[in-house]
Amino acid sequence: MTVSPSRLAYLHHGTRSPEQAAALEWARDVLPAVDAVPLVSVADGSADLARYDVCWWHADSDPSSALADGTSGLAAAFADYLDGGGGLLLTLRAVEAVEPLGIDRIGPDAVGVAHPQSTSGFLVHPLYEDHPAFAGFDDRRIRTLGPGHASPHARYEALLPADGHVLAGGFTDEHDRPDRSTVVWWPREQGGAVLGVGASLSFADRVIAPYGMAGASVVEHALAALAAPEPTAGMRVPVERGYRDVEHLRAMRRAQADAPNKPTYHLTAPANWLNDPNGLVHWNGRYHLFYQYNPGGAYHGSIHWGHATSADLVTWRDEPVALSPDPDGPDRDGCWSGCTVVADGEPILLYTGGRGRDQLPCRATTDDVDLRTWRKDPANPVIAETPTDPPLLETDDWATEFRDHCVWEADGTWYHLVGSGVAGVGGTVLLYESTDPELRDWEYRGPVLTGDGGHGVVWECPELLRFNEWDLLHVSNGDHVDYFVGHLDTDTPRFEVVDSGRLDHGDFYAPQSTEAPDGRVLTWGWLPEERGAPEQWDAGWSGAMSLPREVWVDHDGRLHQRPAEELAALRGAHESLSGPLDESWTDLDLSGQALELDLTVALDDADGVELGVLEAADGEGRAVVRWEDRELRIDRAAASEGPVSSVEPQWLHLPADGTLTLRVFVDHSVVEVFAGDGACLTSRVYPGEARDGVSIRALGGRATVDLDAWRVASTWE
Ligand code: FRU
């Protein structure tokens, strides 16, 4: 293969290690002109980098001694060189130099030597698989190191680079390690770029085919790309801008517009990982939905706050990433869930900062009317210690399980709920109080409600909503969302439970609500995936939001939920079906993977009714929504293509009744069902691209149906 760099500077410091010597020898074999350039001569300005179109620093041990001999000179020389369009390749522990050299504010946090038993290498991000460094591979799992070789590394694990794009995670002992960000691309505004490959390379061992050869191929292609004037021109998702930039986010969404299984009118992240809705607020004429977002890939890690907004709940647009972990802050390892509160006319965020084994409440404010930029409080965390009474749960991960925030004001006092667990007892919701309009000073009051273990050992994302004479408290218990209707007495403090149930009987978690301008309470929940981590990584996206649900409690204390009425504006092509059904399937004359189906069913002498959605042309492989024996069930065993982690049916009980009204929202991998006026059942299924049919039949007799169906348009601007 022809390699384009005409002149490579192979950087080194002091005596070359056997690995560095082998890399230099390899470079001299494959490239036309290679100079060994001492870093000290770069630092003191005696080496003229402008003579080279690529510089490569390959370090299999701690690079700090090299840096100690002139960091500022090196930083200045590299900045000049890169601004002039040069390319810099940093491999193995040389990636540690990105922070001292000013290439990134955040350096790799996982540095050392690993000894993988089996093969290791790179797990390529699906949106960046066309990066030139990976040319020639058609597998996203690139094995570059054979079994048993020491692997020096400098990669990102708890952290992400602030400005670089993660092109690949890790692959070790035949397992995906998406949480090991190993290959990072730093575009430079003035042209030029830096590529870091922080693991799984060995030139000394490259004779051990095929692994070492694969690693050498990545380096060879990377050097060629870095020498090119526009190294990444032509990539499907440009990587010339930072990963928080809205144009980059929108480019990722466009690239995934037709991604199989990705919902189009249920909110998703542009790509990568999404979990809980956060900070919901209607502000300055728009709904703001923030969400737990990992820009590093479709796995839970290094959580930022993503942001989407809408004026009408119908059309949404992506906004820049709103909150990022601060390497020096109490949120270093993640900006976890929280809420927006408007206090004295000013929006304030309270969210959970994670660092090491601590999770503590943090605060951020803004004067940006679009809520795009936030100032974190320098005094964070606002609550520095977790309560000791009752004894709260400690786990392997956390000194105290203590997170997520719900804040409201009543009669001049601010109340603040935090989710937790009482050791040996069960999930709990803790109450704080404040009269500080800035929401900085909080006084601990105690738990308002504690479960009995049967409801989960930790309660996450507690939320209190008030409806006339009733309070509704819901908590997410690691599996599902329990709600309690009753009364909160903030003096005792205690939540008196009158009734309880589940908000949704399927895949629905960590919901949060906000008030619409007309007073309706709208709730969104996270719809977690039901397929494995490798499938999520390969899809390039994970997680969706439920539809916005209008939630209320009536005077009798009964909970009701229905889809926000604005969603009707997304309806397109329409078909209806009315009349008797027998036991053979009747096909609907409308197909699609984004559909709304509204139906009323009367059982007549039938035992039940089955509605099939997402079905293949031959009628096989459908997801079935079945109403029978006072039960509404979604049977999804045959509905998915590819491996899924759960095909168990999901169901809810309904009161006995001869008629039932259902609203069924099908959106690629989401089937969200509203039954009657209160019960919800949301399921994830993975139909792939082809399955889109709808049909219906009665079971054991005849039934009558009245069905309206619409195609539903995408919600993205
Ligand atoms: C719920 C949750 C929260 C936490 C967040 C982290 O899904 O675990 O308790 O704040 O997600 O992403």
Side-chain angles (χ1 to χ4, degrees):
M1 156 191 174
T2 352
V3 183
S4 52
S6 49
R7 266 211 113 71
L8 169 74
Y10 183 87
L11 306 168
H12 68 100
H13 182 71
T15 320
R16 282 190 283 276
S17 68
E19 171 59 26
Q20 287 174 315
L24 176 59
E25 192 188 312
W26 169 83
R28 289 199 159 126
D29 275 357
V30 298
L31 301 182
V34 178
D35 290 344
V37 176
L39 280 156
V40 278
S41 65
V42 176
D44 68 17
S46 57
D48 176 14
L49 292 186
R51 296 179 55 225
Y52 303 98
D53 42 11
V54 190
C55 294
W56 176 20
W57 183 8
H58 182 61
D60 54 333
S61 61
D62 186 350
S64 52
S65 62
L67 292 166
D69 289 343
T71 308
S72 60
L74 277 180
F78 283 127
D80 263 5
Y81 164 73
L82 290 165
D83 289 349
L88 175 63
L89 176 64
L90 301 171
T91 47
L92 303 183
R93 293 195 53 184
V95 179
E96 282 176 79
V98 293
E99 196 185 345
L101 293 183
I103 292 164
D104 201 299
R105 283 186 297 114
I106 306 182
D109 59 308
V111 168
V113 181
H115 296 271
Q117 295 304 304
S118 172
T119 51
S120 64
F122 310 124
L123 176 67
V124 177
H125 190 296
L127 286 185
Y128 305 134
E129 62 194 0
D130 57 354
H131 189 281
F134 308 125
F137 294 97
D138 47 18
D139 191 343
R140 270 181 213 134
R141 288 154 185 88
I142 303 181
R143 293 162 178 83
T144 53
L145 209 58
H149 288 288
S151 175
H153 57 259
R155 59 190 176 222
Y156 293 85
E157 288 196 13
L159 308 183
L160 282 182
D163 299 309
H165 293 274
V166 176
L167 302 183
F171 183 79
T172 300
D173 290 328
E174 293 300 309
H175 288 295
D176 287 4
R177 294 304 306 253
D179 55 335
R180 295 180 173 176
S181 300
T182 304
V183 184
V184 181
W185 178 258
W186 285 273
R188 305 272 303 184
E189 256 169 42
Q190 294 83 345
V194 179
L195 180 71
V197 183
S200 302
L201 289 179
S202 169
F203 286 86
D205 292 329
R206 82 176 194 287
V207 282
I208 307 167
Y211 308 113
M213 302 310 286
S217 162
V218 170
V219 170
E220 197 171 341
H221 284 100
L223 290 171
L226 287 163
E230 287 185 77
T232 57
M235 273 180 68
R236 194 156 63 107
V237 176
V239 284
E240 277 109 46
R241 297 164 182 267
Y243 66 72
R244 291 173 245 233
D245 185 283
V246 73
E247 289 311 323
H248 178 73
L249 297 168
R250 290 176 183 161
M252 290 199 296
R253 183 174 299 286
R254 281 195 299 277
Q256 287 204 326
D258 300 316
N261 300 310
K262 191 171 184 191
T264 52
Y265 67 93
H266 286 75
L267 299 180
T268 51
N272 302 319
W273 171 272
L274 164 152
N275 62 301
D276 315 352
N278 291 148
L280 292 168
V281 67
H282 187 269
W283 179 253
N284 190 33
R286 293 185 77 81
Y287 290 93
H288 293 258
L289 179 136
F290 301 88
Y291 53 88
Q292 297 276 284
Y293 175 59
N294 177 12
Y299 67 98
H300 188 267
S302 187
I303 291 293
H304 295 49
W305 277 33
H307 186 195
T309 65
S310 171
D312 54 9
L313 298 178
V314 178
T315 309
W316 289 81
R317 70 171 183 233
D318 290 307
E319 304 285 358
V321 170
L323 279 187
S324 305
D326 175 350
D328 302 318
D331 59 3
R332 181 194 64 185
D333 302 342
C335 300
W336 282 24
S337 284
C339 58
T340 305
V341 198
V342 179
D344 264 352
E346 304 287 338
I348 300 180
L349 293 188
L350 282 172
Y351 66 97
T352 300
R355 184 178 179 115
R357 288 177 43 74
D358 291 330
Q359 26 187 224
L360 293 166
C362 294
R363 175 181 173 278
T365 51
T366 187
D367 42 29
D368 175 354
V369 290
D370 298 319
L371 306 187
R372 290 189 180 129
T373 51
W374 293 85
R375 263 186 322 272
K376 293 180 190 171
D377 192 331
N380 279 339
V382 289
I383 296 174
E385 278 175 24
T386 57
T388 49
D389 179 23
L392 300 179
L393 186 65
E394 175 183 348
T395 52
D396 287 349
D397 292 335
W398 304 111
T400 309
E401 296 275 348
F402 183 74
R403 59 180 171 273
D404 311 334
H405 311 271
C406 169
V407 177
W408 72 98
E409 188 258 356
D411 302 327
T413 301
W414 290 93
Y415 297 95
H416 178 179
L417 301 180
V418 181
S420 184
V422 179
V425 182
T428 192
V429 177
L430 306 173
L431 178 70
Y432 285 79
E433 243 178 63
S434 177
T435 48
D436 170 17
E438 309 229 290
L439 306 185
R440 277 204 182 95
D441 303 326
W442 293 100
E443 186 195 338
Y444 176 59
R445 295 296 318 286
V448 298
L449 186 66
T450 302
D452 59 3
H455 282 269
V457 295
V458 177
W459 284 353
E460 306 181 300
C461 302
E463 186 176 61
L464 186 94
L465 301 167
R466 320 204 100 163
F467 301 95
N468 308 310
E469 61 271 54
W470 296 103
D471 292 325
L472 173 77
L473 175 66
H474 65 75
V475 297
S476 295
N477 70 5
D479 181 64
H480 59 263
V481 188
D482 282 322
Y483 71 81
F484 306 97
V485 176
H487 299 106
L488 174 66
D489 179 344
T490 50
D491 291 333
T492 4
R494 187 174 114 81
F495 189 96
E496 183 212 351
V497 178
V498 175
D499 192 15
S500 65
R502 280 193 190 187
L503 269 194
D504 187 298
H505 296 256
D507 302 313
F508 177 92
Y509 200 70
Q512 205 187 85
S513 313
T514 192
E515 203 177 298
D518 61 6
R520 283 173 301 159
V521 173
L522 300 174
T523 303
W524 283 257
W526 164 42
L527 311 179
E529 299 300 322
E530 287 269 33
R531 55 182 173 179
E535 287 74 31
Q536 294 177 48
W537 175 271
D538 286 337
W541 65 275
S542 174
M545 293 297 168
S546 70
L547 295 176
R549 299 176 177 181
E550 184 186 348
V551 170
W552 74 101
V553 176
D554 65 21
H555 289 291
D556 299 329
R558 283 195 358 169
L559 174 78
H560 300 261
Q561 305 184 73
R562 67 179 169 210
E565 62 196 11
E566 286 88 337
L567 296 169
L570 289 170
R571 288 172 179 166
H574 172 246
E575 265 305 322
S576 54
L577 182 87
S578 286
L581 298 174
D582 59 22
E583 291 182 72
S584 54
W585 289 103
T586 302
D587 292 331
L588 182 73
D589 282 339
L590 186 79
S591 59
Q593 290 195 333
L595 297 173
E596 176 185 346
L597 308 163
D598 291 3
L599 52 160
T600 304
V601 178
L603 280 190
D604 304 339
D605 64 358
D607 301 328
V609 163
E610 287 187 334
L611 173 73
V613 297
L614 298 169
E615 64 189 30
D618 58 4
E620 292 302 311
R622 51 170 80 85
V624 177
V625 181
R626 179 183 311 118
W627 175 39
E628 192 182 17
D629 290 339
R630 297 188 197 179
E631 200 175 80
L632 186 77
R633 173 181 283 259
I634 298 189
D635 198 336
R636 50 193 180 152
S640 293
E641 274 177 6
V644 287
S645 46
S646 178
V647 293
E648 294 300 308
Q650 294 169 310
W651 68 89
L652 58 84
H653 293 288
L654 290 166
D657 195 354
T659 49
L660 179 65
T661 306
L662 289 176
R663 296 187 67 187
V664 179
F665 293 86
V666 177
D667 190 2
H668 301 83
S669 54
V670 174
V671 180
E672 183 170 358
V673 180
F674 295 79
D677 60 3
C680 292
L681 176 56
T682 305
S683 276
R684 302 304 304 273
V685 299
Y686 300 92
E689 277 162 302
R691 303 166 190 221
D692 62 1
V694 179
S695 58
I696 189 165
R697 70 173 176 185
L699 297 172
R702 288 171 77 85
T704 311
V705 70
D706 201 350
L707 182 154
D708 281 293
W710 296 268
R711 290 226 173 89
V712 181
S714 164
T715 205
W716 294 101
E717 216 171 71

